[in-house]
Amino acid sequence: MRDLAVQSANGGSQDEQSQKAANKEFGELKTELTRIAQTTSFGSQKLLDGNYNGTFQVGSNGDDANERISINLTTAGVGDLTGTGLVGTAELVDSTPAGGTAAARIAENVTASQAAIESLDTAISKVSDVRAQLGATQNRFEHTINNLNVSIENLSA
């Protein structure tokens, strides 16, 4: 999507038809990202809709908070990446630009495309933050599994 926004922002080589074509593809990609966010689930738990908050019991002492690992994606801003929140504007370029010359309409679409680039950069940053958070949690799970395997081996011995 960012590549399309950059191409569309290049008013020097993109005419109005090229910008409209990029906008169609941009809209379809946005629709697909929204569909993925709304349908991705594990069991009945929606994972990417911005509402996931789960706690995993990793130890045998149920009442000990140190025996649980929590994943909270409600504060990570994942919900902001779905729907219209992804780019902040409904379209990559203004689909009904004001009248005037073709050059004026292209310039208007360039401005909209530049705004989309900034919004996409923000979205990419949010995705990177969420990936870092999930990566750190995955490492915690791996260390917990290794620790539990050592405990099992010691118990068996």
Side-chain angles (χ1 to χ4, degrees):
M1 291 175 76
R2 190 177 193 291
D3 287 345
L4 288 169
V6 170
Q7 289 171 13
S8 184
N10 187 358
S13 66
Q14 299 292 312
D15 62 8
E16 194 173 355
Q17 291 303 100
S18 297
Q19 288 175 327
K20 285 182 179 179
N23 188 47
K24 285 181 184 177
E25 185 176 353
F26 187 88
E28 290 300 315
L29 290 170
K30 183 175 153 184
T31 300
E32 180 60 14
L33 283 175
T34 300
R35 185 197 67 77
I36 290 169
Q38 292 172 345
T39 60
T40 300
S41 62
F42 182 77
S44 63
Q45 303 264 357
K46 298 286 185 191
L47 301 175
L48 300 177
D49 66 354
N51 296 315
Y52 184 77
N53 186 8
T55 302
F56 296 86
Q57 184 73 30
V58 295
S60 59
N61 297 325
D63 61 346
D64 186 355
N66 292 324
E67 304 273 334
R68 293 187 286 273
I69 294 177
S70 296
I71 299 176
N72 183 354
L73 296 180
T74 61
T75 60
V78 176
D80 295 339
L81 302 179
T82 62
T84 57
L86 179 63
V87 293
T89 57
E91 303 292 332
L92 173 62
V93 297
D94 187 350
S95 57
T96 55
T101 65
R105 290 191 300 274
I106 289 170
E108 193 171 319
N109 291 340
V110 166
T111 301
S113 297
Q114 289 168 341
I117 292 169
E118 289 180 28
S119 296
L120 285 165
D121 286 345
T122 300
I124 290 168
S125 177
K126 286 183 181 182
V127 168
S128 295
D129 288 344
V130 171
R131 287 182 63 186
Q133 177 186 350
L134 291 175
T137 303
Q138 181 178 352
N139 285 337
R140 288 184 64 199
F141 277 124
E142 289 174 2
H143 290 296
T144 300
I145 290 168
N146 290 338
N147 189 31
L148 290 172
N149 284 334
V150 168
S151 295
I152 289 169
E153 185 176 333
N154 288 341
L155 183 63
S156 296

